[in-house]
Amino acid sequence: MNSEDAFSQQPEPLTIARMAERTGLSADTLRYYEKAGLIEPIGRSAGNQRRYAVTDVDWVEFLLRLRTTGMSIVYMQRFARLRAVGDATVADRLALLREHRSELDERIRTLRENADALDRKIDHYERLLSPQQETDHA
Amino acid sequence: MNSEDAFSQQPEPLTIARMAERTGLSADTLRYYEKAGLIEPIGRSAGNQRRYAVTDVDWVEFLLRLRTTGMSIVYMQRFARLRAVGDATVADRLALLREHRSELDERIRTLRENADALDRKIDHYERLLSPQQETDHA
DNA sequence: CTAGAACTTGGAGTGCACTCCAGGTCAAAC
DNA sequence: GTTTGACCTGGAGTGCACTCCAAGTTCTAG
């Protein structure tokens, strides 16, 4: 509800609760990810409470994308470690991402094949339920 | 590679090791699935060893399809229980399958969206790696 | 200044889907 | 008849990704 002030570059840091709201992760999971090295050490308030930068949201959203597409935490750690090193690791990160991307294609392909097989099974059950019985208006 | 003989309807039962080979599940997992009620109690030899019927392979392959498409064991149990009851449950099984099928579509859709986002990230990294550097001939 | 909500930590607990193990039985090979 | 190997059971252990908890500290509203 307010804009960033003029002398600091942090627009407005988020508490862990707000970060949880924005990302959909629980506060516990955010701490767990940080401890696991998926998120780099978050800045703290005077009283030692985490204050997330708005840019951290983007990173967490990227992690969530990797998670959703089936990447394990071990692999995300690998990626996060490379990222923490800096620009020199861009090629490595690219390679990692390309590999994951192609596994993802394979996964989607497999799912589609299985979906087709399920469709055939569904057809089979529909035929079993006598030609014009309509149990369900789907 | 051969046909069933004329007096028994069992073409040739499989030991658990052969069943494991055919389905790709371990013997332990086959026992686990049976104990969990995913596979109905398998007939035994005189010496109490499991003898799988060839038709059991089809059922396990169906279970594997459900598993691959993300169905939990709890839901597979539900399906297996209905199946064990018999023909009266075909409509219920159909409903269960349809629901799973639509969740699967949703899942595939999500994966595709995330795949697209990953492609954009990959493009970004490729542009970072200077216009004509080729680290990788992919 | 104080009450209560939100935060901190380290560590224990959970749910899922296996996977492994010990100790025993059974069948075939020598 | 004994060795070898496949099989049996019940139950413990594993790895993953959280999730919860207790005990203490900090922040914020009144």
Side-chain angles (χ1 to χ4, degrees):
Chain A
M1 298 302 185
N2 69 2
S3 55
E4 70 203 76
D5 64 55
F7 25 95
S8 148
Q9 271 152 322
Q10 286 104 268
E12 48 190 287
L14 290 80
T15 64
I16 198 165
R18 283 201 68 37
M19 188 65 177
E21 264 176 41
R22 306 231 165 199
T23 60
L25 289 177
S26 70
D28 272 324
T29 302
L30 283 168
R31 289 191 204 98
Y32 166 69
Y33 276 13
E34 185 178 340
K35 208 191 285 185
L38 298 186
I39 300 173
E40 37 186 292
I42 293 300
R44 301 302 180 104
S45 70
N48 195 37
Q49 296 190 356
R50 287 174 182 79
R51 293 295 177 252
Y52 291 86
V54 182
T55 54
D56 293 328
V57 176
D58 297 339
W59 172 244
V60 170
E61 280 171 354
F62 176 64
L63 289 177
L64 289 179
R65 232 180 262 302
L66 295 181
R67 183 180 76 166
T68 299
T69 52
M71 188 183 281
S72 72
I73 282 181
V74 175
Y75 276 82
M76 291 195 260
Q77 283 169 337
R78 227 159 276 189
F79 197 95
R81 239 180 285 122
L82 289 173
R83 179 173 178 266
V85 171
D87 293 347
T89 65
V90 167
D92 291 336
R93 279 182 268 166
L94 177 56
L96 221 158
L97 228 47
R98 276 184 179 148
E99 198 193 322
H100 179 61
R101 183 64 182 80
S102 80
E103 281 165 12
L104 178 52
D105 265 349
E106 175 60 16
R107 172 99 189 107
I108 291 173
R109 212 179 52 70
T110 305
L111 287 182
R112 272 134 110 23
E113 281 171 16
N114 281 283
D116 288 348
L118 287 182
D119 283 341
R120 287 192 292 277
K121 190 86 171 183
I122 286 170
D123 282 355
H124 169 71
Y125 275 125
E126 281 168 347
R127 277 191 303 271
L128 277 188
L129 279 181
S130 86
Q132 57 259 71
Q133 183 177 343
E134 301 218 329
T135 0
D136 208 17
H137 51 78
Chain B
M1 297 302 185
N2 68 1
S3 54
E4 68 203 77
D5 66 54
F7 27 96
S8 149
Q9 269 152 324
Q10 285 105 269
E12 48 189 285
L14 290 78
T15 63
I16 198 165
R18 282 201 69 36
M19 188 66 177
E21 264 176 42
R22 305 231 166 200
T23 60
L25 288 177
S26 69
D28 273 323
T29 301
L30 283 168
R31 289 192 206 99
Y32 166 69
Y33 277 12
E34 185 177 341
K35 208 191 288 184
L38 298 186
I39 299 173
E40 35 187 294
I42 294 299
R44 302 301 180 105
S45 70
N48 196 37
Q49 297 191 355
R50 288 174 182 79
R51 293 295 180 253
Y52 291 85
V54 182
T55 56
D56 292 329
V57 176
D58 297 339
W59 172 244
V60 170
E61 280 171 354
F62 175 64
L63 288 177
L64 290 178
R65 234 180 260 301
L66 294 181
R67 183 180 78 166
T68 300
T69 53
M71 188 182 280
S72 71
I73 280 180
V74 176
Y75 276 83
M76 290 195 261
Q77 283 169 335
R78 228 160 275 189
F79 197 95
R81 240 179 284 123
L82 290 173
R83 179 171 179 267
V85 171
D87 292 348
T89 64
V90 167
D92 291 336
R93 279 181 269 165
L94 177 56
L96 221 157
L97 228 47
R98 276 185 179 147
E99 198 193 321
H100 180 62
R101 183 63 182 79
S102 81
E103 280 164 14
L104 178 53
D105 265 349
E106 175 61 16
R107 173 101 190 104
I108 291 172
R109 214 179 50 69
T110 304
L111 286 182
R112 272 136 113 20
E113 281 171 17
N114 281 283
D116 288 348
L118 287 182
D119 283 340
R120 288 193 293 277
K121 190 84 171 183
I122 287 170
D123 282 355
H124 170 71
Y125 274 124
E126 282 168 345
R127 279 191 304 272
L128 275 188
L129 279 181
S130 86
Q132 58 259 70
Q133 183 176 345
E134 300 216 332
T135 358
D136 210 17
H137 50 80

